[in-house]
Amino acid sequence: TLTLSNITTAQSGTYQAQLTNSCGVTNSDPATLTVNSTPVVNTSPANQAGCVGSSVSFTANANSALGHTTQWQVSSNGGAVFTSIAGETTGTLTLTNIQVGQSGNQYRAVFANSCGSTASGVAVLTVNTIPVVTSQPANATACEGTIVSFVAAATGTPTPAISWEVSTNAGTTWTSIAGATTGTLSISSVSASQNGNQYRAVFSNTCGTVMSNAATLNVNTSPIVTTQPQGQTACESNAVTFTATATSVPAPAVQWQVSVGTSGTWTNVPGATLNSL
């Protein structure tokens, strides 16, 4: 009797007994030992990422002399507990119309035969989302030569990249602003030529691109006198008229002042708020 304990696949082969006495040697018929094993995983599934509503696939395979069955499992609690997925018994698991609630789920394949079962490595699903604007830029008004800022924000997975665009023709065409890649766009020393420009933020990630609302820049300017009042000479009791005009954005208010004699002190003329005094 030959007893082999704790056999391994390395012991698969043919065995015979050799019987010997003083008259000679006789060999028994050979007997073949086939040692089967649990399935051996060749390929474990890889981590996958996809956008909401898309499809992703996990693939795994194993080999076994006995053959094997395949069963995919999922864990939604970090691998503490795995649950079999009904009907998923091939080498590829395909998930369709994935949603945010599945992000972080772990998946594995379990291969089984009459000798036991073996689980593949674990793969993690990441569900990405298109950017969603959470803060829109607001219209801004500033005086010529000052600084003005526009602010916008968005959420998304992965975190969206930001760029800013400007339109000088009421939104018909848009041009990227070089270097403007943060949530705040600051424009220093604004000029009258920028009055009416529109600005928007563009948020992009692997799932798509979303634009914020457009915000308009209004540039105000200091008054510029276009008509100067002229000196007048008149006889006592007669009427005289002084006229002055100016341009600015917004249109300037007018207030006439008087300096009596050589005092150098200027005092508002009550009610004199028209271009002509």
Side-chain angles (χ1 to χ4, degrees):
T1 298
L2 171 65
T3 300
L4 303 175
S5 59
N6 194 27
I7 58 175
T8 66
T9 55
Q11 292 171 286
S12 291
T14 303
Y15 295 81
Q16 67 178 13
Q18 188 176 76
L19 308 171
T20 305
N21 65 14
S22 59
C23 291
V25 177
T26 301
N27 293 327
S28 70
D29 291 337
T32 300
L33 171 63
T34 301
V35 181
N36 294 317
S37 64
T38 57
V40 176
V41 176
N42 293 326
T43 304
S44 285
N47 294 340
Q48 298 293 329
C51 298
V52 169
S54 67
S55 299
V56 297
S57 293
F58 298 94
T59 300
N61 61 64
N63 60 32
S64 166
L66 285 176
H68 58 268
T69 61
T70 304
Q71 175 63 62
W72 284 91
Q73 297 181 327
V74 60
S75 173
S76 58
N77 56 8
V81 177
F82 278 89
T83 303
S84 293
I85 304 172
E88 297 298 341
T89 57
T90 68
T92 299
L93 168 66
T94 299
L95 304 176
T96 60
N97 192 27
I98 58 176
Q99 299 299 313
V100 172
Q102 294 170 278
S103 193
N105 282 3
Q106 297 181 348
Y107 297 86
R108 72 181 183 185
V110 177
F111 304 100
N113 62 17
S114 60
C115 289
S117 62
T118 305
S120 71
V122 170
V124 178
L125 172 64
T126 299
V127 181
N128 295 325
T129 59
I130 194 169
V132 175
V133 178
T134 56
S135 178
Q136 300 282 1
N139 295 339
T141 300
C143 292
E144 191 172 26
T146 63
I147 297 174
V148 67
S149 295
F150 298 94
V151 178
T155 59
T157 304
T159 300
I162 305 171
S163 62
W164 286 88
E165 295 180 333
V166 60
S167 174
T168 59
N169 54 12
T172 301
T173 58
W174 293 87
T175 304
S176 293
I177 302 172
T181 57
T182 67
T184 299
L185 170 67
S186 292
I187 304 172
S188 59
S189 191
V190 296
S191 65
S193 64
Q194 294 171 295
N195 185 55
N197 281 4
Q198 293 182 329
Y199 298 87
R200 71 182 183 186
V202 180
F203 300 95
S204 300
N205 65 12
T206 56
C207 291
T209 298
V210 174
M211 286 77 168
S212 73
N213 294 340
T216 301
L217 172 62
N218 299 299
V219 181
N220 293 337
T221 57
S222 298
I224 298 174
V225 177
T226 55
T227 301
Q228 298 285 358
Q230 301 298 310
Q232 303 286 338
T233 300
C235 294
E236 190 174 23
S237 298
N238 288 352
V240 293
T241 299
F242 296 97
T243 299
T245 60
T247 60
S248 69
V249 178
V254 181
Q255 173 63 62
W256 284 91
Q257 296 180 324
V258 61
S259 176
V260 179
T262 59
S263 67
T265 300
W266 292 91
T267 305
N268 288 345
V269 180
T273 56
L274 301 177
N275 290 107
S276 292
L277 169 65

